[in-house]
């Protein structure tokens, strides 16, 4: 307890120093507008156009150009060259040939070689940092996740540069100059599911941290977007919703949670959180101390769809349901998406973005801009990601076209029009971010609280540490 008290005292001192440096503003109470789930508080500061050089100058010019105009610049720049990209998603490798085919509709003689790398275990940040030290880098662009590390390690340091395509800005009714966020390719959702072959009920998000519950979850230290999810729960928007969900619990469950919530009151004050911050900290504490650590969402899904996994639950990427092969014991119908229940209360999961950037020393900046515009502004370009449920384009026009083509909202229907697998009927971005209670990652907020709330989380004992 002495160690924990000392650590909290240090965190409190750091928080006071930070608030003083920021003129007294409290990151726990700040609100921001969003475009497709992206906070507009995040992002790099923009210098006047006349003072820009290098990649920054190209981006400033490119932001006023249509996709076709960018395509012509790309053809001129990269015909016969090799394009190197790096990302957290392997599907960049699928999208680049589509991009080349698009450029060939403008110039049939165009050709470009390419290589797409997907580093594991968060090595992408080390790789991009090392590449940034070269006069001319290897990587032209990146598709990257984890808003917290992107903000602090990549954007604040000037390693990555945001490009906002004109067509994307028009579709979102913003301008490149006014938009201050990162450019998201898509929002992905991780949702609460449970095996329904037993008698366990999960009708409130607090049920996943109730006595005896040990949900399957990728460890917060192996996939850091999961830690960002926990950071976001302390933001007023979401701590208030946790309080609302708590209020709907029966007396027995409230009695179980009340001592933990009471215990969190001092911590919430020390961390500069609002009145309902104690509910967020209580939920986080119980989650971290009880979830069952897994290495990947694939195995989590494979476990939950097995009839033998009675009463087991998990928080995992929704799209994993797409690849389940039905058998006598294994079926998508063995799982329920918690938020799809009519009587469900509280958050249904969390959403995080894949963001797109140019590198500061991009060897092919015009081609990178054109590729980014192609995959964010056309259904064909986004199809490498859009063919699966649970991933939503940040461009409302492309989102609509993608749904029209792939019919994800009827993903559980067969050719005869019968609804065989209701869990696969993706209700879409608008539903998930309203009725579905999706907690959306805000890079700036995560960066602001990563050393306060983050340090507090590090002090918690995970279930895996107790074994």
């Amino acid at each position: 307890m002495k160690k924990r008290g000392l650590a909290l005292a240090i965190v409190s001192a750091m928080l006071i120093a930070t608030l003083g440096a920021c003129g007294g503003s409290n990151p726990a109470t700040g609100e921001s507008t969003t475009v497709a789930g992206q906070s507009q508080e995040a992002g790099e500061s923009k210098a006047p156009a006349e003072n820009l050089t290098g990649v920054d100058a190209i981006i400033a010019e490119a932001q006023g150009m249509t996709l076709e105009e960018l395509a012509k610049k790309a053809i001129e720049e990269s015909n016969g060259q090799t394009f190197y990209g790096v990302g957290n998603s392997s599907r960049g490798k699928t999208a680049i040939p589509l991009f080349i085919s698009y450029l060939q509709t403008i110039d049939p003689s165009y050709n470009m070689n390419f290589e797409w790398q997907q580093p594991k275990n968060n090595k992408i940040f080390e790789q991009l940092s090392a590449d940034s030290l070269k006069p001319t880098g290897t990587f032209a662009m990146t598709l990257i996740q984890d808003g917290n590390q992107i903000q602090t390690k990549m954007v604040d340091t000037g390693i990555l540069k945001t490009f906002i395509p004109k067509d994307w800005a028009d579709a979102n009714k913003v301008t490149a100059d006014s938009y201050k966020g990162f450019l998201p390719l898509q929002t992905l959702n991780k949702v609460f599911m449970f095996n329904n072959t037993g008698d366990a009920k999960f009708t409130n998000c607090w049920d996943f941290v109730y006595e005896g519950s040990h949900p399957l979850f990728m460890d917060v230290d192996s996939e850091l977007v999961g830690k960002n999810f926990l950071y976001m729960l302390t933001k007023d928007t979401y701590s208030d919703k946790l309080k609302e969900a708590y209020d709907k619990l029966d007396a027995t469950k409230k009695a179980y949670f009340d001592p933990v919530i009471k215990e969190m009151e001092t911590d919430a004050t020390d961390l500069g959180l609002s009145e309902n911050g104690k509910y967020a900290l209580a939920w986080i504490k119980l989650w971290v101390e009880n979830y069952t650590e897994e290495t990947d969402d694939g195995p989590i899904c494979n476990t939950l769809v097995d009839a033998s996994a009675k009463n087991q639950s998990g928080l995992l990427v929704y799209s994993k349901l797409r690849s389940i092969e039905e058998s006598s014991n294994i079926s998508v119908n063995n799982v329920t998406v918690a938020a799809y229940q009519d009587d469900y209360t509280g958050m249904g999961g969390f959403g995080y973005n894949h963001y797109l950037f140019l590198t500061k020393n991009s060897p092919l900046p015009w081609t990178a801009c054109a590729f980014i515009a192609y995959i964010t502004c056309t259904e064909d370009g986004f199809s490498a990601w859009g063919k699966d449920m649970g991933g939503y384009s940040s461009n409302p026009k492309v989102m609509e076209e993608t749904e029209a083509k792939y019919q994800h909202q009827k993903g559980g229907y067969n050719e005869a029009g019968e609804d065989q697998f209701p869990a696969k009927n993706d209700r879409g971005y608008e539903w998930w971010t309203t009725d579905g209670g999706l907690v959306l990652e805000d890079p700036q907020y995560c960066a602001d609280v990563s050393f306060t709330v983050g340090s507090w989380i590090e002090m918690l004992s995970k279930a895996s540490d107790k074994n």
Side-chain angles (χ1 to χ4, degrees), residues 22 27 40 84 88 97 127 137 139 181 192 205 219 235 249 278 308 315 342 359 392-393 420-421 436 467:
C22 295
Q40 292 200 49
Y84 292 91
N88 290 117
Q127 203 161 345
F139 299 112
F192 290 108
C205 62
D219 184 48
K235 190 171 184 178
L249 294 170
K278 61 187 177 184
S308 65
L315 178 55
D342 291 339
T359 57
Y392 314 107
S393 170
Q420 290 188 308
F421 307 107
N467 298 329

Side-chain angles (χ1 to χ4, degrees), residues 435-449:
D435 294 350
L438 208 63
V439 175
L440 294 173
E441 179 187 81
D442 178 336
Q444 187 63 62
Y445 183 82
C446 290
D448 287 343
V449 303

Side-chain angles (χ1 to χ4, degrees), residues 50-325:
E50 62 270 17
N51 297 331
L52 299 176
T53 59
V55 169
D56 290 325
I58 289 174
I59 288 174
E61 183 178 354
Q63 288 181 155
M65 300 169 70
T66 64
L67 172 58
E68 185 174 353
E69 291 170 332
L70 290 172
K72 291 176 181 178
K73 284 282 193 177
I75 291 168
E76 182 181 328
E77 176 187 68
S78 59
N79 195 4
Q81 302 296 313
T82 299
F83 182 92
Y84 292 91
V86 61
N88 290 117
S89 167
S90 63
R91 299 192 182 189
K93 188 176 182 179
T94 303
I96 295 177
L98 300 176
F99 172 61
I100 293 172
S101 295
Y102 165 68
L103 295 182
Q104 288 172 341
T105 64
I106 299 172
D107 181 352
S109 68
Y110 177 81
N111 192 36
M112 181 181 75
N113 299 314
F114 69 92
E115 181 178 322
W116 185 267
Q117 297 184 18
Q118 186 187 11
K120 302 296 184 182
N121 302 320
N122 289 301
K123 296 294 184 183
I124 189 169
F125 294 99
E126 297 176 15
Q127 203 161 345
L128 287 166
S129 295
D131 197 50
S132 72
L133 301 177
K134 305 173 185 176
T136 300
T138 298
F139 299 112
M141 53 76 65
T142 185
L143 172 61
I144 190 169
Q145 69 185 41
D146 185 357
N148 175 28
Q149 290 197 84
I150 293 170
Q151 182 71 54
T152 57
K153 294 182 178 180
M154 299 283 104
V155 173
D156 290 349
T157 58
I159 291 173
L160 295 183
K161 302 290 184 178
T162 297
F163 159 67
I164 305 298
K166 181 181 185 302
D167 297 334
W168 184 91
D170 290 346
N172 278 289
K173 296 180 172 56
V174 296
T175 65
D177 288 339
S178 65
Y179 182 73
K180 297 181 176 63
F182 307 152
L183 176 68
L185 170 68
Q186 64 173 342
T187 300
L188 300 101
N189 58 359
K190 289 203 175 195
V191 305
F192 290 108
M193 303 181 196
F194 62 93
N195 183 288
N196 56 33
T197 61
D199 55 7
K201 303 295 183 184
F202 297 89
T203 57
N204 190 304
C205 62
W206 286 90
D207 290 337
F208 293 99
V209 293
Y210 187 57
E211 185 176 15
S213 183
H214 302 283
L216 305 174
F217 186 56
M218 282 188 69
D219 184 48
V220 293
D221 292 319
S222 63
E223 189 183 47
L224 296 179
V225 292
K227 188 170 286 186
N228 291 348
F229 159 58
L230 301 181
Y231 293 164
M232 290 307 305
L233 295 181
T234 66
K235 190 171 184 178
D236 287 359
T237 303
Y238 302 112
S239 61
D240 290 351
K241 290 181 179 179
L242 280 170
K243 170 62 163 60
E244 292 172 8
Y246 163 85
D247 287 341
K248 295 183 180 180
L249 294 170
D250 61 36
T252 300
K253 290 182 178 179
K254 283 182 178 178
Y256 175 79
F257 292 121
D258 282 348
V260 185
I261 295 169
K262 180 68 175 176
E263 180 188 352
M264 294 298 103
E265 287 181 352
T266 300
D267 289 2
T269 300
D270 289 344
L271 292 170
L273 304 179
S274 64
E275 170 64 22
N276 289 334
K278 61 187 177 184
Y279 294 92
L281 295 185
W283 196 98
I284 294 167
K285 175 180 168 63
L286 292 167
W287 177 262
V288 170
E289 292 183 347
N290 288 285
Y291 74 76
T292 300
E293 179 181 322
E294 293 288 345
T295 58
D296 193 75
D297 285 338
I300 296 176
C301 187
N302 292 337
T303 295
L304 293 181
V305 298
D306 194 311
S308 65
K310 295 182 185 299
N311 303 328
Q312 185 58 270
S313 64
L315 178 55
L316 64 154
V317 170
Y318 181 38
S319 64
K320 292 297 181 181
L321 290 179
R322 76 188 186 277
S323 55
I324 297 302
E325 295 184 9

Side-chain angles (χ1 to χ4, degrees), residues 331-371:
S331 175
V332 170
N333 284 333
N334 290 337
V335 298
T336 297
V337 176
Y340 285 177
Q341 301 172 103
D342 291 339
D343 59 348
Y344 186 77
T345 299
M347 59 186 175
F350 73 96
Y352 63 99
N353 290 334
H354 278 156
Y355 300 101
L356 292 159
F357 295 91
L358 272 74
T359 57
K360 72 173 186 179
N361 53 355
S362 175
L364 297 172
W366 284 109
T367 307
C369 287
F371 177 59

